[in-house]
């Protein structure tokens, strides 16, 4: 008898006259995991657990001394290559003017026309080479600008900080999870279905949703029916969307959904 009661408790499925009631968990449709792309020390942390943040709000900032040097070097390389480019352009203009002048003064003795043509070709080659240097330097400057965007991490969306794994002075490694933000406005209920119930639900179906701890009831809609990642469980996942109104409903809360009787 005790074993039977335990199994019934684990299944958490109650067949009522008004339909089949299943238990589930409130989950967020938007969960953002913030990680670092570069190694460095945390300089400032602007948020704490439970803080509500808006998109583009500052989350934390990393030390930038090393990156400042890299940025200065990239800017200097771009500036020098641009100066060199302008020099070779001026040099080409001077030689071309000389070439035009020599054309007008044909018959001048002692003038080596082939030497002048060779100078033009050499300057053109240097000009093209310098253009490539400028392009490469400009790409490095853009890359450093992207790096600096990742030194001061910003919130990618509105939400609540539910996990914070860093504090000032911590060393951050590439790929390390630093902060997790959860959207508390767009919530869904995650429900596991057994094979015997799958035929009673379909996408778009309206169900009764209940949050027992708040004594809140509303009507939800089946958003998706998803196969479980583990085929050995013989379970199907169902996601139900609902309107939480102005209540403080958060991910992780216990919920119930009722599938109406099929008549």
């Amino acid at each position: 008898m005790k074993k039977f009661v335990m199994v019934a408790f684990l299944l958490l499925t109650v067949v009522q006259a008004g339909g089949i009631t299943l238990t589930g968990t409130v989950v967020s449709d938007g969960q953002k995991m913030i990680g670092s792309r570069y190694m460095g020390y945390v300089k400032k942390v602007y948020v704490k657990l439970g803080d509500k943040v808006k998109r583009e709000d500052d989350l934390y900032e990393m030390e930038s001394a090393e990156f400042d040097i890299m940025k200065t070097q990239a800017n200097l390389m771009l500036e020098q290559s641009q100066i060199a480019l302008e020099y070779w352009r001026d040099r080409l203009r001077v030689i071309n003017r000389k070439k035009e002048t020599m054309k007008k003064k044909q018959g001048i003795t002692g003038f080596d026309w082939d030497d002048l043509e060779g100078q033009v070709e050499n300057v053109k080659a240097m000009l093209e080479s310098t253009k490539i240097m400028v392009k490469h330097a400009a790409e490095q400057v853009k890359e450093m600008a992207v790096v600096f965007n990742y030194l001061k991490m910003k919130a990618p969306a509105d939400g609540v900080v539910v996990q914070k794994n860093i504090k000032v002075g911590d060393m951050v490694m590439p790929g390390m999870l630093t902060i997790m933000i959860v959207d508390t406005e767009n919530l869904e209920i995650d429900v596991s279905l057994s094979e015997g119930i799958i035929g009673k639900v379909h996408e778009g179906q309206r169900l009764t949703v209940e949050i027992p701890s708040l004594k809140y009831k509303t009507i939800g809609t089946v958003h998706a029916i998803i196969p479980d990642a583990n085929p050995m469980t013989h379970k199907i996942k169902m996601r139900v969307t609902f309107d939480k109104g102005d209540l403080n409903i958060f991910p992780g809360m216990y919920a119930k959904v009722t599938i109406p009787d099929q008549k």
Side-chain angles (χ1 to χ4, degrees):
M1 181 64 180
K2 288 183 178 180
K3 185 177 180 180
F4 175 80
V5 172
M6 182 61 69
V7 171
F9 177 78
L10 291 175
L11 289 176
L12 293 175
T13 302
V14 181
V15 181
Q16 300 177 339
I20 302 173
T21 299
L22 306 171
T23 60
T25 304
V26 177
V27 296
S28 173
D29 188 41
Q31 180 173 285
K32 310 297 182 185
M33 293 181 287
I34 314 300
S36 175
R37 293 186 60 179
Y38 300 94
M39 182 176 68
Y41 289 98
V42 177
K43 180 179 180 181
K44 292 181 180 178
V45 179
Y46 298 100
V47 296
K48 59 183 183 297
L49 286 175
D51 281 355
K52 292 184 178 181
V53 296
K54 296 290 185 181
R55 177 178 170 82
E56 296 299 320
D57 280 355
D58 291 336
L59 299 177
Y60 67 91
E61 184 178 350
M62 294 171 60
E63 290 286 356
S64 61
E66 181 181 352
F67 296 100
D68 285 339
I69 296 174
M70 295 171 63
K71 184 179 180 181
T72 300
Q73 291 175 340
N75 289 332
L76 182 60
M77 183 182 295
L78 178 59
E79 183 180 350
Q80 290 176 340
S81 60
Q82 288 173 335
I83 292 173
L85 180 63
E86 193 58 35
Y87 168 80
W88 289 114
R89 281 174 175 168
D90 288 341
R91 183 65 178 158
L92 183 61
R93 283 193 289 266
V94 170
I95 295 176
N96 281 332
R97 282 199 299 267
K98 184 177 180 181
K99 185 176 177 182
E100 291 300 321
T101 301
M102 291 301 104
K103 283 183 179 180
K104 295 177 182 178
K105 297 180 180 180
Q106 295 180 0
I108 297 178
T109 57
F111 177 73
D112 190 343
W113 187 264
D114 290 337
D115 180 63
L116 185 60
E117 288 289 353
Q119 291 183 40
V120 171
E121 292 302 319
N122 287 337
V123 171
K124 284 183 177 179
M126 292 301 299
L127 185 61
E128 291 302 316
S129 176
T130 309
K131 285 180 179 179
I132 294 174
M133 290 176 58
V134 171
K135 182 180 179 181
H136 178 67
E139 289 175 350
Q140 284 191 317
V141 170
K142 289 181 180 179
E143 182 179 340
M144 291 310 303
V146 172
V147 169
F148 266 72
N149 287 337
Y150 283 102
L151 293 181
K152 179 174 281 190
M153 298 300 296
K154 297 181 179 292
D158 297 355
V160 174
V161 178
V162 298
Q163 187 173 342
K164 182 173 73 71
N165 300 329
I166 55 171
K167 59 182 181 295
V168 175
D170 283 353
M171 168 69 80
V172 176
M173 304 300 292
M176 171 183 168
L177 174 62
T178 54
I179 289 177
M180 183 184 296
I181 298 174
V182 168
D183 180 3
T184 57
E185 296 301 320
N186 299 308
L187 300 177
E188 296 182 349
I189 297 175
D190 184 79
V191 183
S192 290
L193 302 177
S194 63
E195 294 180 7
I197 301 176
I198 190 64
K200 300 179 181 296
V201 295
H202 57 83
E203 290 187 14
Q205 184 177 3
R206 291 168 65 81
L207 309 174
T208 301
V209 171
E210 182 182 358
I211 310 295
S213 60
L214 300 178
K215 298 181 180 179
Y216 176 66
K217 284 188 177 183
T218 185
I219 299 298
T221 303
V222 178
H223 170 64
I225 299 174
I226 313 161
D228 195 296
N230 183 3
M232 299 303 294
T233 61
H234 303 290
K235 293 283 187 179
I236 304 295
K237 292 285 186 180
M238 179 174 70
R239 286 292 186 94
V240 180
T241 59
F242 69 102
D243 182 7
K244 77 182 193 69
D246 297 326
L247 297 177
N248 289 326
I249 300 176
F250 300 106
M253 294 182 71
Y254 175 76
K256 292 181 179 181
V257 298
T258 300
I259 302 171
D261 284 334
Q262 302 293 326
K263 295 182 179 180

